[in-house]
Amino acid sequence: MADDKENKKIGLKTTLDMVVEGCRLPVKMSILPNEEEEWPLAEILSRKEEKGKLEFYVHYIDFNKRLDEWVLPDRLRVEELQFPRKDQKTPQKQTSSAANSRPTTPDRELQLSKKLSLPEQTSSPAAKLGGQGQTPQSQTKSNAGRKRKAIFLDEKQDLPPAYCNSLSLQDSQDAPATPQPSAPPQQPRQTGSMSSSHDENIITRIKNIETIELGKYRIKPWYFSPYPPELTTISIVFICEFCLKYVKSRKCLERHRTKCTLRHPPGNEIYRKSTISFFEIDGRKNKMYSQNLCLLAKLFLDHKTLYYDTDPFLFYVMTEYDIKGFHIVGFFSKEKESTEDYNVACILTLPPYQRKGYGKLLIEFSYELSKFEGKTGSPEKPLSDLGLLSYRSYWSQTILEILVNLKPENGERPQITINEICELTSIRKEDVISTLQHLNLINYYKGQYIITLSQESIDTHNRAMAKRKIRIDAKCLHWTPKDWAKRGKW
């Protein structure tokens, strides 16, 4: 009997020795109580043995990388082990615009003559939250990194229209035009402190920080961030929530707090309403804070590579105030000079503050800055999956808010052009068009394109807008745009 157990143990050890990097096998996911067990296919990225305990780092093939984790051997189905092949690579989810969005109408069909007319009926706006779609065909940025597809208004049902908006287009034929596929993805540019990148090695695929403590929150990181190697061997990295300095122990943090005089991010406070404030931070003047902010952000952003050249960037940090100080909620960065008029380079709401409306507030603030500059803007691609969700939702709600509130003039249906929507919202033209198409609002009827809003769509929109308790008040923004091209050095 004892010999059988010993032989079984030796056999299991021999089998586990065969589980090497690149192998695939079903792995039991970490699950919540009272849920069914899941054994999705996973790839072994690394293995380690410390103090006689063997662990494997796995990536679940069909799931986001933030779920990657170290697992013990008892969570592996080694009997279904698949050995790596020379040509085997971790399958990537389809990330082209064809997979994540409906193809956009070619630019030649989208002219200033686009008109939207509405029947006489008034209703307040509200849009169903959805995932962000892809930039239109005319935009040349890559679509890599899209993880989800959202369900938008009226995508599941064909409801009678409550509003019929005529939208006349040049080059329209007797039959609907067939949408053209999006342009092939191009490699993103590599500039600035947080640049897009898809080049990975085995080191950057493995989370290197177990837990961080930021203020009153302990947070489990989602992705790799290039913190100093000595921090990767400890269980908790302590971060000062005001200057973002990282230390190895609570005692070090307490010592630091006696010396740290900051109670808010460095830079200028340019917005304050109630407990919400925004600070503008120059990446050149406050280089150490900006670099620490990028290190912190990389823990929760997958499709960004960290660089230490923060000089070309401005950082807008959103904070929540209490008697202890201004606590960081999220931020977005912006190039001082963007050749393509991007108004956001990188955007993040920290996990403890997600699903509370702060993401949309950050996006709304970025477009409010664009309004002050008299420009239309768009975020730099690719965004994270959660960023995609937030942007598509914001675009949908903002555009629908304008459409449902148009008033008739002289007894006729009100009209508005695509360009007028862009001027009112500062959303780039391509994003406005793609949003209308993602919402499934554009239809072809009697030789022209029309926009159809169902009453159900409007009711859903109203309910969603009612949940947005916090909004940006332009009167509370005290900021003057700078022409960085004329300022010589940044």
Side-chain angles (χ1 to χ4, degrees):
M1 194 75 171
D3 290 341
D4 290 342
K5 288 184 179 180
E6 187 65 25
N7 291 336
K8 189 174 182 181
K9 186 176 180 180
I10 293 173
L12 178 60
K13 186 178 186 305
T14 303
T15 305
L16 291 175
D17 288 340
M18 301 167 63
V19 181
V20 296
E21 294 175 8
C23 287
R24 299 184 183 186
L25 72 171
V27 178
K28 182 180 177 182
M29 289 188 73
S30 299
I31 56 173
L32 298 174
N34 303 323
E35 288 190 359
E36 295 183 2
E37 291 186 358
E38 289 190 58
W39 292 80
L41 186 65
E43 179 184 353
I44 303 296
L45 298 184
S46 182
R47 56 181 286 160
K48 67 180 181 181
E49 187 168 0
E50 293 181 356
K51 298 179 180 179
K53 185 172 70 171
L54 181 63
E55 290 184 284
F56 298 89
Y57 193 84
V58 300
H59 165 64
Y60 300 101
I61 301 296
D62 294 322
F63 294 85
N64 190 283
K65 281 172 57 180
R66 74 171 65 101
L67 297 177
D68 295 0
E69 59 181 338
W70 289 99
V71 300
L72 296 173
D74 59 358
R75 290 172 57 185
L76 307 179
R77 279 187 180 164
V78 291
E79 64 272 16
E80 299 181 37
L81 182 66
Q82 302 174 15
F83 292 101
R85 300 189 301 270
K86 290 184 179 180
D87 60 340
Q88 180 173 290
K89 294 182 179 179
T90 302
Q92 301 292 326
K93 286 191 177 181
Q94 181 66 30
T95 56
S96 68
S97 58
N100 288 278
S101 66
R102 299 173 55 209
T104 59
T105 307
D107 279 347
R108 62 183 178 80
E109 293 186 339
L110 303 170
Q111 307 294 335
L112 295 179
S113 58
K114 296 184 179 69
K115 296 289 183 180
L116 289 79
S117 61
L118 295 163
E120 296 182 10
Q121 185 172 353
T122 60
S123 177
S124 58
K128 189 174 180 75
L129 302 183
Q132 179 184 355
Q134 180 53 35
T135 47
Q137 169 185 338
S138 60
Q139 201 162 336
T140 60
K141 285 294 175 184
S142 168
N143 277 334
R146 307 302 160 91
K147 300 295 184 187
R148 302 181 189 173
K149 179 179 178 183
I151 299 174
F152 301 110
L153 302 178
D154 296 334
E155 209 170 46
K156 289 188 173 180
Q157 50 188 336
D158 187 13
L159 299 171
Y163 292 85
C164 293
N165 308 344
S166 65
L167 193 143
S168 60
L169 302 175
Q170 285 189 356
D171 298 336
S172 57
Q173 306 296 327
D174 293 335
T178 303
Q180 299 298 316
S182 298
Q186 297 188 5
Q187 288 297 324
R189 56 198 179 89
Q190 301 289 332
T191 62
S193 60
M194 293 289 285
S195 297
S196 306
S197 175
H198 304 290
D199 298 328
E200 288 185 325
N201 56 47
I202 194 65
I203 295 176
T204 60
R205 293 182 70 185
I206 299 175
K207 299 174 196 174
N208 57 334
I209 303 295
E210 184 177 337
T211 307
I212 64 169
E213 182 171 298
L214 182 69
K216 62 181 179 180
Y217 296 106
R218 282 195 177 178
I219 311 169
K220 291 282 188 183
W222 295 350
Y223 307 110
F224 170 89
S225 183
Y227 278 95
E230 59 267 23
L231 297 181
T232 63
T233 58
I234 59 178
S235 58
I236 300 176
V237 175
F238 296 85
I239 299 176
C240 174
E241 60 179 328
F242 299 116
C243 72
L244 303 185
K245 178 181 174 64
Y246 46 85
V247 293
K248 295 192 290 185
S249 68
R250 185 178 298 279
K251 181 172 285 189
C252 291
L253 180 64
E254 290 172 354
R255 263 200 317 268
H256 166 76
R257 282 174 176 169
T258 62
K259 303 173 186 177
C260 182
T261 58
L262 282 180
R263 288 298 174 266
H264 58 77
N268 300 321
E269 184 181 15
I270 60 175
Y271 179 92
R272 181 187 293 188
K273 184 175 182 181
S274 184
T275 60
I276 300 297
S277 291
F278 279 85
F279 291 82
E280 182 184 60
I281 296 154
D282 189 322
R284 181 181 68 86
K285 294 180 180 179
N286 299 283
K287 192 182 295 284
M288 185 59 67
Y289 181 91
S290 300
Q291 291 176 354
N292 287 341
L293 180 60
C294 291
L295 278 171
L296 175 63
K298 182 62 188 72
L299 291 171
F300 308 101
L301 294 172
D302 184 17
H303 299 287
K304 295 289 181 180
T305 297
L306 188 64
Y307 291 89
Y308 285 94
D309 179 18
T310 61
D311 289 14
F313 280 77
L314 295 169
F315 297 84
Y316 295 89
V317 178
M318 181 169 66
T319 64
E320 197 172 51
Y321 175 77
D322 63 17
I323 57 174
K324 294 183 179 179
F326 295 79
H327 307 279
I328 181 171
V329 171
F331 85 101
F332 66 89
S333 60
K334 177 180 180 179
E335 284 185 292
K336 294 174 181 176
E337 288 185 273
S338 174
T339 56
E340 302 184 56
D341 284 337
Y342 289 126
N343 62 359
V344 166
C346 177
I347 187 168
L348 171 71
T349 304
L350 292 173
Y353 298 96
Q354 290 177 1
R355 304 184 64 85
K356 296 181 180 180
Y358 290 120
K360 283 196 185 68
L361 202 66
L362 279 168
I363 296 171
E364 187 177 1
F365 188 79
S366 70
Y367 280 107
E368 199 62 45
L369 296 183
S370 295
K371 291 177 185 177
F372 271 61
E373 293 175 318
K375 300 177 181 178
T376 58
S378 184
E380 191 174 325
K381 311 303 185 304
L383 289 166
S384 66
D385 54 348
L386 298 180
L388 301 179
L389 288 170
S390 297
Y391 263 96
R392 177 55 68 187
S393 176
Y394 172 80
W395 288 338
S396 301
Q397 293 182 4
T398 303
I399 294 170
L400 284 172
E401 187 173 23
I402 291 174
L403 296 182
V404 301
N405 284 328
L406 287 175
K407 305 295 181 184
E409 298 178 2
N410 302 323
E412 298 182 357
R413 293 178 178 178
Q415 293 187 341
I416 187 171
T417 66
I418 296 292
N419 276 13
E420 287 172 341
I421 294 177
C422 296
E423 291 174 7
L424 290 171
T425 62
S426 282
I427 300 174
R428 185 176 288 179
K429 180 179 177 181
E430 291 86 352
D431 295 332
V432 171
I433 295 165
S434 73
T435 299
L436 292 172
Q437 292 182 323
H438 276 280
L439 290 171
N440 216 11
L441 298 181
I442 294 182
N443 297 286
Y444 194 83
Y445 181 71
K446 292 186 178 180
Q448 66 178 350
Y449 288 95
I450 64 169
I451 288 183
T452 302
L453 292 178
S454 71
Q455 187 60 51
E456 181 70 18
S457 299
I458 296 167
D459 292 341
T460 304
H461 179 69
N462 290 337
R463 288 192 296 270
M465 290 299 291
K467 296 178 181 178
R468 286 181 66 178
K469 303 297 184 183
I470 48 177
R471 302 289 298 272
I472 294 297
D473 185 352
K475 297 177 182 177
C476 299
L477 175 59
H478 304 285
W479 181 72
T480 303
K482 297 175 184 177
D483 188 349
W484 293 97
K486 296 180 179 179
R487 295 175 67 90
K489 281 191 174 183
W490 292 319

